[in-house]
Amino acid sequence: MIQAAGLSYFPIAFIARMPFAMMVVGVMTLVVAARGSIALGGLTSAAVGLGTALLGPVLGMAVDRFGQRSVVLVAAIGNSLALLAFAWAAFAPVPDIALLGVAFLIGATAPQVSPLSRSRMVGIIQTRLPLRVRAKTLNGTMAYESAADEIVFVFGPVIVGLLATTLNPAAPIIGAALLTLVFTTAFAFHKSSRAVDGHAGAVVDRAPLRELLRAPMLVVVLGVLGMGLFFGAMLTALIAFMGEVAQAEEAGVLYGVMGIGSAILALSVAAFSTRFSLRARWLVFSSALVAGAIVATFATTIPIMILALALAGIGVGPTLVTAYALVAARTPRGRSATAMTIAGSAITVGQASASAIVGLIAEGSGAQLALLTPLCAAVVVFGAGVANWVISSRQPTR
């Protein structure tokens, strides 16, 4: 893959996805600091998620039609401008509704480098690599992509916290705008985009959109949505928990316990035997996610919470790898970018909505009640895995 995509691709694509992981938390942090309202902060985070949910798949459809280069470039410019406008509007004498509108634009213009990177990698595997190595390379590539996502989704909030406390509450949003303008533009113009852009223009018999609404695809999207809910619920509940037992600012360090183990295990998926089927992996590793969430509900001290996060980390990475591998396998012809952006949007929607809801729960009822919400999210992931097992037995994944 390094030879086929180019060595420079991987660091560019990695840094280019960082702003996406900083947006939801950065928006909430800035609003709380500038306007003094946790409720408004939660609403603006939800507005970002809503914009991504409504316009993210549209961006994917545009990529399938016109190619990644032009669509990603336009999105990068628009997203940078929206982020800078939000950094100004948060402190400006503008009404809250205007702030929500700009937050919606941030989500709507998000370039979604992560799902488009997966789509680009799948295109390269299908067009440039020998048939005998495609299945193994796809498995390893999805493992790398999920590990990269894990790292940015865990350390994105940490970077937001560091910039907000050491510089200014607006610094994370301004930093995300600059990263988007530089690295997302580099991602758009990278030579690897030619592999999928040329193919996109050549697809005449593109499958109808209704093919994406079939049960085998919808159940995977539900599982990915559950993972986004888990990310948002766990981080917000952890902040509330640390605010009661220590200092809320230390939550990001503890959250890294889950992310580091998850990233390592996500990479290890490439070494799994093919006899360990995708549907079995989903059930096994989502069970670890549920177990970690159960331990978190009983956490009253930091060591117990560390145990819960480490146990949950066993499940997070491999479950995401499995879900995206199923998305790649079940994508209808000519709809790769659309399918991947739908899955990527599901994570953001889950994270944003859970952050808003759990924040209100924590503020009104305390950390112990908030710590029940990651368990609810983990059950959604496990339930989707059970449904996938039933569907897969009826219609084997190609």
Side-chain angles (χ1 to χ4, degrees):
M1 285 304 298
I2 291 175
Q3 183 178 8
L7 180 61
S8 62
Y9 172 80
F10 293 94
I12 289 174
F14 179 82
I15 299 175
R17 73 184 74 197
M18 183 65 75
F20 196 68
M22 297 168 62
M23 288 175 189
V24 174
V25 180
V27 162
M28 186 172 186
T29 302
L30 176 56
V31 171
V32 172
R35 306 254 169 148
S37 172
I38 297 177
L40 181 60
L43 285 174
T44 51
S45 294
V48 174
L50 181 62
T52 302
L54 295 180
L55 277 300
V58 175
L59 185 144
M61 287 186 281
V63 166
D64 283 329
R65 184 65 181 265
F66 303 108
Q68 286 197 15
R69 180 167 291 184
S70 57
V71 176
V72 172
L73 181 61
V74 171
I77 295 172
N79 192 241
S80 298
L81 293 175
L83 287 166
L84 292 174
F86 190 87
W88 170 81
F91 293 100
V94 299
D96 293 344
I97 189 67
L99 206 60
L100 292 172
V102 180
F104 178 85
L105 288 177
I106 290 174
T109 58
Q112 301 201 44
V113 173
S114 178
L116 293 181
S117 177
R118 283 183 172 86
S119 177
R120 190 179 295 193
M121 293 295 95
V122 170
I124 290 174
I125 290 170
Q126 292 177 344
T127 57
R128 294 187 179 181
L129 299 188
L131 185 61
R132 67 181 184 277
V133 300
R134 287 181 186 175
K136 181 177 178 60
T137 307
L138 177 64
N139 194 32
T141 302
M142 290 300 105
Y144 163 76
E145 289 285 333
S146 293
D149 279 349
E150 274 298 298
I151 293 170
V152 298
F153 268 104
V154 169
F155 291 103
V158 177
I159 294 172
V160 169
L162 290 174
L163 291 176
T165 54
T166 58
L167 296 177
N168 184 279
I173 296 298
I174 297 173
L178 295 176
L179 286 175
T180 298
L181 193 60
V182 175
F183 286 94
T184 305
T185 300
F187 175 82
F189 281 101
H190 194 272
K191 64 179 183 180
S192 60
S193 64
R194 298 170 189 159
V196 287
D197 283 1
H199 181 65
V203 174
V204 178
D205 59 339
R206 189 177 292 108
L209 282 174
R210 65 176 179 271
E211 293 291 323
L212 291 168
L213 302 178
R214 296 182 182 274
M217 182 65 75
L218 290 178
V219 73
V220 182
V221 173
L222 176 61
V224 176
L225 174 65
M227 292 303 303
L229 290 170
F230 183 82
F231 287 144
M234 180 56 81
L235 177 58
T236 309
L238 182 61
I239 291 172
F241 170 82
M242 291 299 291
E244 292 184 2
V245 301
Q247 292 183 346
E249 293 80 6
E250 297 174 0
V253 178
L254 237 63
Y255 194 62
V257 172
M258 184 178 74
I260 293 172
S262 178
I264 293 172
L265 283 164
L267 289 171
S268 71
V269 170
F272 288 174
S273 169
T274 54
R275 289 179 293 181
F276 189 11
S277 66
L278 292 176
R279 64 176 186 167
R281 294 178 194 179
W282 192 336
L283 289 181
V284 169
F285 291 107
S286 63
S287 298
L289 191 70
V290 172
I294 290 174
V295 174
T297 62
F298 295 100
T300 55
T301 63
I302 291 177
I304 296 177
M305 181 57 74
I306 290 175
L307 174 63
L309 292 170
L311 188 56
I314 295 174
V316 171
T319 303
L320 269 179
V321 174
T322 301
Y324 275 109
L326 286 169
V327 170
R330 295 174 180 175
T331 298
R333 65 186 182 278
R335 294 293 182 183
S336 177
T338 307
M340 288 296 179
T341 49
I342 288 174
S345 297
I347 288 186
T348 304
V349 170
Q351 184 191 27
S353 57
S355 297
I357 294 170
V358 179
L360 293 174
I361 293 173
E363 184 176 355
S365 304
Q368 284 305 120
L369 186 60
L371 285 170
L372 290 173
T373 56
L375 178 58
C376 297
V379 169
V380 170
V381 178
F382 182 80
V386 173
N388 179 69
W389 180 281
V390 175
I391 291 172
S392 298
S393 63
R394 298 174 182 171
Q395 184 179 4
T397 301
R398 288 176 298 146

